Amino acid sequence: MRNTVSLIAATALTTASLSTAALAENINFNVWVPPSEIIVSDGFIPYFDAVTKETDGAVTVQLFTAGQMMGPLDTMPAVRDGAVQGGMVDAVYYSKDMNYAAMFGDLVAFSPNAVAAAGASAETFFQDCPECLEDFTENNMIALGGTSSAPYTVMCSTEITSLDDLKGLRVRGSIDYHFALIEALGANGVNVPFSEIAQSFERGNVDCLLGGPTWLRAFGITELIKSRLSTVSFGTINVPGQLAFQKSAWDSWSDEVHASMIKNAPIMIANATIEVLKDNDESAALAHEAGMKEIDLGTDLEALRDSFLVSERVRLIAAGEARGAEHTERVLDAYLANYAIWEELAAEIGDDKEKFAEVLWERIYSQLDM
C-alpha cells in the first residue's frame, strides 16, 4: 500500500489552528439511482459514515444521487477525469474501454444465488482477473467491489400455466442477457426504459418483466402482475465497480483512509445484499396480497434454464472476444469455480450479515494491497 501523508497531518504541520472540518478531504461521489434504493440507504450512506467516523473526519463524502450530476453513461469518465472523486461505475456501459470488467454484466445467468454471486464476483475480480483491475487502472480508477441484486424471475400481467403461455408475449428487456433469455423463453423482447415501465404495463404494451418483486413496488405495478415463475432463478446482477474512486485521488489519501475504506467494503456488500433479499421477500408478500400467484412449472422451466446456460456460455465468450477480451473463457471458468465454493458458503451464511462480511474479509479483502 502506498505510504502517503494524510492531508490532515500535512496541513496541521503548517497551520495547527485550523479546524478538523477545514482539513477534511471532501469526496464527491456520484450515484445514478435514487436515494430510496437499498444500495444507497443500506450501502453507500452507512459505508461513508463509517469511514468518516473511523478516520476522525479525515474524509467527508457528498453523495449525489438519482443522476443529479451524471447518469450511468457519464459516471466513468467523470470519475476518471476528476469531475468527481468517486462514483457507481458499471463497466457494461463502457465495454470498449473496459472490455474485461464489462464481462461481469454477462455473468447474470451463472449467478442464481445473490450471496454466492456477490462473493464469487469479488473474488474473481480481485484474484483471478488482472485484466479487470487493469481496465480500471488504465482509466485512472480503482474499484472496491459491489453488491448483488435479487434473483431474476419472470413476472407477467397474465396468468401463466405453462411455457407455451409465454410464446409471443412482450417481455421488457434492456441488455444482451435479457434478450437472449427472452428469446429462449419464446417471447418477444421490448426495450422499455425504467421511466416507462409502469405506463407500458398499463397500456398493455408490455406483458412481462424480468426481475424481482422489489421492482414491482419500485415501479408501482404490484397490482398489475398476476404470475411469477419463482421456482427458478435466472441469475443476479453483480457490479464490482459499484464502489469506485479516481486513482489519482485515492493515491493522495492516507493509509488510514485506505484501510478504513477497504475494511468497510465487505460490510457494505453484506449489508446491502442481504437487505435487497429481505426487501424482495417483503415486496413479494405485498404482491401476493394484490393477487400475484407463484407459479411452479416444474422440470420444464428447469430444463429451459439448463439449456439456456449452455447457449449463454457460448454467447458470453463470443461477446467478450469480439470486444477484445481474448481470455474471457479463462475468467468465466475461474468465476464458475469460485461460485461453486461460494454456493456452499452461502448456505452457511444464510442471512447473517456479520458472517457474510467476515467471510468476504477473510477470503478477499484482508489480502488487498491498493
Side-chain angles (χ1 to χ4, degrees):
M1 185 175 290
R2 288 176 59 93
N3 291 318
T4 58
V5 179
S6 75
L7 293 177
I8 285 182
T11 310
L13 290 173
T14 307
T15 315
S17 61
L18 290 179
S19 67
T20 300
L23 298 170
E25 175 74 24
N26 295 306
I27 299 172
N28 289 330
F29 193 92
N30 185 72
V31 178
W32 33 267
V33 297
S36 58
E37 289 285 329
I38 288 174
I39 180 56
V40 179
S41 61
D42 294 87
F44 293 133
I45 291 176
Y47 172 80
F48 286 123
D49 284 348
V51 171
T52 297
K53 182 177 180 180
E54 287 181 0
T55 59
D56 293 325
V59 291
T60 60
V61 179
Q62 176 66 51
L63 273 178
F64 293 92
T65 62
Q68 293 177 58
M69 294 187 71
M70 298 95 183
L73 299 178
D74 307 313
T75 301
M76 188 278 278
V79 175
R80 178 193 63 202
D81 300 336
V84 291
Q85 291 75 49
M88 184 174 169
V89 174
D90 188 344
V92 166
Y93 295 109
Y94 319 103
S95 58
K96 291 183 179 179
D97 296 308
M98 309 179 79
N99 50 23
Y100 275 93
M103 175 182 170
F104 285 84
D106 277 334
L107 292 173
V108 182
F110 302 94
S111 312
N113 181 288
V115 171
S121 292
E123 190 157 335
T124 304
F125 181 80
F126 288 115
Q127 298 180 3
D128 299 307
C129 187
E131 299 91 343
C132 296
L133 301 179
E134 289 171 11
D135 281 346
F136 276 82
T137 300
E138 290 174 359
N139 284 283
N140 192 26
M141 294 186 297
I142 64 100
L144 293 182
T147 64
S148 177
S149 72
Y152 268 99
T153 53
V154 181
M155 303 178 291
C156 299
S157 60
T158 58
E159 188 165 337
I160 305 297
T161 59
S162 70
L163 287 178
D164 287 339
D165 292 340
L166 293 170
K167 306 296 183 185
L169 292 186
R170 292 158 296 187
V171 181
R172 186 267 174 185
S174 62
I175 59 178
D176 291 344
Y177 153 76
H178 289 158
F179 295 114
L181 175 56
I182 291 168
E183 181 179 357
L185 292 169
N188 298 318
V190 182
N191 194 340
V192 175
F194 288 122
S195 60
E196 298 177 13
I197 286 178
Q199 186 180 68
S200 296
F201 269 100
E202 290 169 354
R203 293 181 175 179
N205 296 327
V206 171
D207 302 302
C208 304
L209 177 71
L210 299 174
T214 294
W215 279 21
L216 305 183
R217 183 157 56 168
F219 298 125
I221 58 174
T222 296
E223 296 183 354
L224 301 178
I225 299 300
K226 306 304 178 186
S227 303
R228 179 186 178 221
L229 309 185
S230 58
T231 57
V232 168
S233 166
F234 280 101
T236 60
I237 298 176
N238 294 271
V239 184
Q242 213 166 28
L243 183 62
F245 299 98
Q246 185 199 42
K247 190 174 187 303
S248 297
W250 174 271
D251 289 345
S252 73
W253 301 335
S254 68
D255 285 349
E256 177 192 21
V257 171
H258 292 171
S260 181
M261 286 185 167
I262 292 172
K263 169 193 165 188
N264 282 285
I267 299 171
M268 186 202 86
I269 293 171
N271 285 349
T273 299
I274 297 298
E275 285 301 319
V276 162
L277 295 176
K278 289 182 178 179
D279 185 74
N280 202 56
D281 291 342
E282 292 171 2
S283 298
L286 292 175
H288 296 155
E289 293 177 6
M292 183 183 79
K293 295 181 179 178
E294 302 287 355
I295 308 300
D296 184 355
L297 298 185
T299 56
D300 288 346
L301 191 61
E302 293 172 4
L304 185 146
R305 177 198 56 198
D306 293 344
S307 176
F308 175 64
L309 289 178
V310 174
S311 61
E312 187 66 353
R313 177 186 176 91
V314 174
R315 185 193 71 80
L316 189 158
I317 294 171
E321 293 177 347
R323 62 176 179 262
E326 298 178 359
H327 304 296
T328 295
E329 187 170 16
R330 187 205 75 215
V331 179
L332 171 59
D333 287 339
Y335 175 79
L336 294 176
N338 289 332
Y339 184 86
I341 295 170
W342 272 94
E343 200 166 29
E344 295 182 4
L345 291 171
E348 300 173 8
I349 291 168
D351 60 358
D352 188 332
K353 296 176 184 177
E354 291 186 5
K355 178 64 176 176
F356 189 10
E358 287 173 4
V359 178
L360 284 166
W361 174 258
E362 291 168 1
R363 291 186 62 88
I364 305 164
Y365 285 87
S366 62
Q367 303 171 42
L368 293 191
D369 183 19
M370 305 177 75

Coordinates of all heavy atoms in Angstrom, one line a residue, residues 163-196:
L163 N -45.0 -23.2 -20.2 CA -44.1 -22.4 -21.0 C -44.7 -21.9 -22.3 O -44.4 -20.9 -22.8 CB -42.9 -23.3 -21.3 CG -41.9 -23.5 -20.2 CD1 -40.8 -24.4 -20.6 CD2 -41.3 -22.2 -19.6
D164 N -45.7 -22.7 -22.8 CA -46.4 -22.3 -24.0 C -47.1 -20.9 -23.9 O -47.2 -20.2 -24.9 CB -47.4 -23.3 -24.5 CG -46.7 -24.6 -25.0 OD1 -45.5 -24.5 -25.4 OD2 -47.3 -25.7 -25.0
D165 N -47.5 -20.6 -22.7 CA -48.2 -19.4 -22.4 C -47.3 -18.2 -22.6 O -47.8 -17.0 -22.8 CB -48.8 -19.3 -21.0 CG -49.9 -20.3 -20.8 OD1 -50.5 -20.7 -21.8 OD2 -50.2 -20.6 -19.7
L166 N -46.0 -18.4 -22.6 CA -45.0 -17.3 -22.8 C -44.8 -17.0 -24.3 O -44.3 -15.9 -24.6 CB -43.7 -17.6 -22.1 CG -43.7 -17.7 -20.6 CD1 -42.4 -18.3 -20.1 CD2 -43.9 -16.3 -20.0
K167 N -45.1 -17.9 -25.1 CA -44.8 -17.7 -26.6 C -45.5 -16.4 -27.1 O -46.7 -16.2 -26.9 CB -45.3 -18.9 -27.4 CG -44.9 -20.3 -26.9 CD -43.3 -20.4 -27.0 CE -42.9 -21.8 -26.6 NZ -41.4 -22.0 -26.6
G168 N -44.7 -15.6 -27.7 CA -45.2 -14.4 -28.3 C -45.5 -13.2 -27.3 O -45.8 -12.1 -27.8
L169 N -45.4 -13.4 -26.0 CA -45.6 -12.3 -25.1 C -44.5 -11.3 -25.2 O -43.3 -11.6 -25.6 CB -45.7 -12.8 -23.7 CG -46.9 -13.7 -23.3 CD1 -46.9 -14.0 -21.8 CD2 -48.2 -13.0 -23.7
R170 N -44.8 -10.1 -24.9 CA -43.8 -9.0 -24.9 C -43.2 -8.8 -23.5 O -43.9 -8.5 -22.6 CB -44.5 -7.7 -25.3 CG -45.0 -7.7 -26.8 CD -46.1 -6.7 -27.0 NE -47.3 -7.1 -26.2 CZ -48.5 -6.5 -26.3 NH1 -48.6 -5.5 -27.2 NH2 -49.5 -6.8 -25.6
V171 N -41.9 -9.0 -23.5 CA -41.1 -9.0 -22.2 C -40.2 -7.9 -22.2 O -39.4 -7.7 -23.2 CB -40.4 -10.4 -22.0 CG1 -39.7 -10.3 -20.7 CG2 -41.4 -11.5 -22.1
R172 N -40.2 -7.1 -21.2 CA -39.3 -5.9 -21.1 C -37.8 -6.4 -20.9 O -37.5 -7.2 -20.1 CB -39.7 -5.1 -19.9 CG -38.9 -3.7 -19.8 CD -37.7 -3.8 -18.9 NE -36.9 -2.6 -19.0 CZ -35.8 -2.4 -18.3 NH1 -35.3 -3.4 -17.6 NH2 -35.1 -1.3 -18.4
G173 N -36.9 -5.8 -21.7 CA -35.5 -6.1 -21.6 C -34.7 -4.9 -22.0 O -35.2 -3.9 -22.6
S174 N -33.4 -4.9 -21.6 CA -32.6 -3.7 -22.0 C -31.1 -4.1 -22.3 O -30.4 -3.2 -22.8 CB -32.6 -2.7 -20.8 OG -32.1 -3.2 -19.6
I175 N -30.7 -5.3 -21.9 CA -29.3 -5.6 -22.1 C -29.3 -7.0 -22.9 O -30.3 -7.7 -23.0 CB -28.5 -5.7 -20.8 CG1 -29.1 -6.8 -19.9 CG2 -28.4 -4.4 -20.2 CD1 -28.3 -7.0 -18.6
D176 N -28.1 -7.3 -23.4 CA -28.0 -8.6 -24.2 C -28.5 -9.8 -23.5 O -29.1 -10.7 -24.1 CB -26.5 -8.8 -24.7 CG -26.1 -7.7 -25.7 OD1 -27.0 -7.0 -26.2 OD2 -24.9 -7.5 -25.9
Y177 N -28.1 -9.9 -22.2 CA -28.5 -11.1 -21.4 C -30.1 -11.2 -21.4 O -30.6 -12.3 -21.6 CB -28.0 -10.9 -20.0 CG -28.9 -11.6 -19.0 CD1 -28.8 -13.0 -18.8 CD2 -29.8 -10.9 -18.1 CE1 -29.6 -13.7 -17.9 CE2 -30.6 -11.6 -17.2 CZ -30.5 -13.0 -17.1 OH -31.3 -13.6 -16.2
H178 N -30.8 -10.0 -21.2 CA -32.2 -10.0 -21.2 C -32.8 -10.6 -22.5 O -33.6 -11.5 -22.5 CB -32.8 -8.6 -21.1 CG -32.6 -8.0 -19.7 ND1 -32.6 -6.6 -19.5 CD2 -32.4 -8.5 -18.5 CE1 -32.4 -6.4 -18.2 NE2 -32.3 -7.5 -17.6
F179 N -32.3 -10.1 -23.6 CA -32.9 -10.5 -24.9 C -32.5 -12.0 -25.3 O -33.3 -12.6 -25.9 CB -32.4 -9.5 -26.0 CG -33.0 -8.1 -25.7 CD1 -32.1 -7.1 -25.5 CD2 -34.3 -7.9 -25.8 CE1 -32.6 -5.8 -25.2 CE2 -34.9 -6.6 -25.5 CZ -34.0 -5.6 -25.3
A180 N -31.3 -12.4 -24.8 CA -31.0 -13.8 -25.0 C -32.0 -14.7 -24.2 O -32.4 -15.8 -24.8 CB -29.6 -14.1 -24.6
L181 N -32.3 -14.4 -23.0 CA -33.2 -15.1 -22.2 C -34.6 -15.0 -22.8 O -35.3 -16.1 -22.8 CB -33.2 -14.6 -20.8 CG -34.2 -15.3 -19.8 CD1 -34.1 -16.8 -19.8 CD2 -34.0 -14.7 -18.4
I182 N -35.0 -13.9 -23.1 CA -36.4 -13.7 -23.7 C -36.6 -14.6 -24.9 O -37.6 -15.2 -25.1 CB -36.6 -12.2 -24.0 CG1 -36.7 -11.4 -22.7 CG2 -37.9 -12.0 -24.8 CD1 -36.6 -9.9 -22.9
E183 N -35.5 -14.6 -25.8 CA -35.6 -15.4 -27.0 C -35.7 -16.9 -26.6 O -36.5 -17.7 -27.2 CB -34.4 -15.2 -27.8 CG -34.4 -16.1 -29.1 CD -33.1 -15.8 -30.0 OE1 -32.3 -14.9 -29.6 OE2 -33.0 -16.5 -31.0
A184 N -35.0 -17.3 -25.6 CA -35.0 -18.7 -25.1 C -36.4 -19.1 -24.6 O -36.9 -20.2 -24.7 CB -34.0 -19.0 -24.0
L185 N -37.1 -18.1 -24.0 CA -38.5 -18.3 -23.5 C -39.5 -18.3 -24.6 O -40.7 -18.7 -24.4 CB -38.8 -17.2 -22.5 CG -38.0 -17.1 -21.2 CD1 -38.3 -15.8 -20.4 CD2 -38.4 -18.3 -20.3
G186 N -39.1 -18.0 -25.8 CA -40.0 -17.9 -26.9 C -40.9 -16.7 -27.0 O -41.9 -16.6 -27.7
A187 N -40.4 -15.7 -26.2 CA -41.2 -14.4 -26.2 C -40.5 -13.3 -27.0 O -39.5 -13.6 -27.7 CB -41.3 -13.9 -24.7
N188 N -41.1 -12.2 -27.0 CA -40.5 -11.1 -27.8 C -40.0 -10.0 -26.9 O -40.7 -9.5 -26.0 CB -41.6 -10.4 -28.7 CG -42.2 -11.4 -29.7 OD1 -41.4 -12.2 -30.3 ND2 -43.5 -11.5 -29.9
G189 N -38.8 -9.6 -27.1 CA -38.2 -8.5 -26.3 C -38.6 -7.1 -26.7 O -38.8 -6.8 -27.8
V190 N -38.9 -6.3 -25.6 CA -39.3 -4.9 -25.8 C -38.4 -4.1 -25.0 O -38.3 -4.2 -23.7 CB -40.7 -4.7 -25.4 CG1 -41.1 -3.3 -25.7 CG2 -41.7 -5.7 -26.2
N191 N -37.6 -3.2 -25.6 CA -36.7 -2.3 -24.9 C -37.4 -1.1 -24.3 O -37.7 -0.2 -25.0 CB -35.5 -1.9 -25.8 CG -34.4 -1.3 -25.0 OD1 -34.5 -0.9 -23.8 ND2 -33.2 -1.3 -25.6
V192 N -37.8 -1.2 -23.0 CA -38.5 -0.1 -22.4 C -37.7 0.5 -21.3 O -37.2 -0.2 -20.4 CB -39.8 -0.6 -21.8 CG1 -40.6 0.5 -21.0 CG2 -40.7 -1.2 -22.9
P193 N -37.4 1.8 -21.3 CA -36.6 2.4 -20.2 C -37.4 2.3 -18.9 O -38.6 2.2 -18.8 CB -36.5 3.9 -20.6 CG -37.6 4.1 -21.6 CD -37.8 2.8 -22.3
F194 N -36.6 2.4 -17.8 CA -37.3 2.3 -16.4 C -38.4 3.3 -16.3 O -39.4 2.9 -15.7 CB -36.2 2.6 -15.3 CG -35.2 1.5 -15.2 CD1 -33.8 1.7 -15.3 CD2 -35.6 0.2 -14.9 CE1 -32.9 0.7 -15.2 CE2 -34.7 -0.9 -14.7 CZ -33.4 -0.6 -14.9
S195 N -38.3 4.5 -16.8 CA -39.3 5.5 -16.6 C -40.6 5.2 -17.2 O -41.6 5.8 -16.9 CB -38.7 6.9 -17.1 OG -38.4 6.8 -18.4
E196 N -40.6 4.3 -18.2 CA -41.8 4.0 -18.9 C -42.4 2.6 -18.6 O -43.4 2.2 -19.3 CB -41.5 4.1 -20.4 CG -41.1 5.5 -20.9 CD -40.7 5.6 -22.3 OE1 -41.1 4.6 -23.1 OE2 -40.1 6.5 -22.8

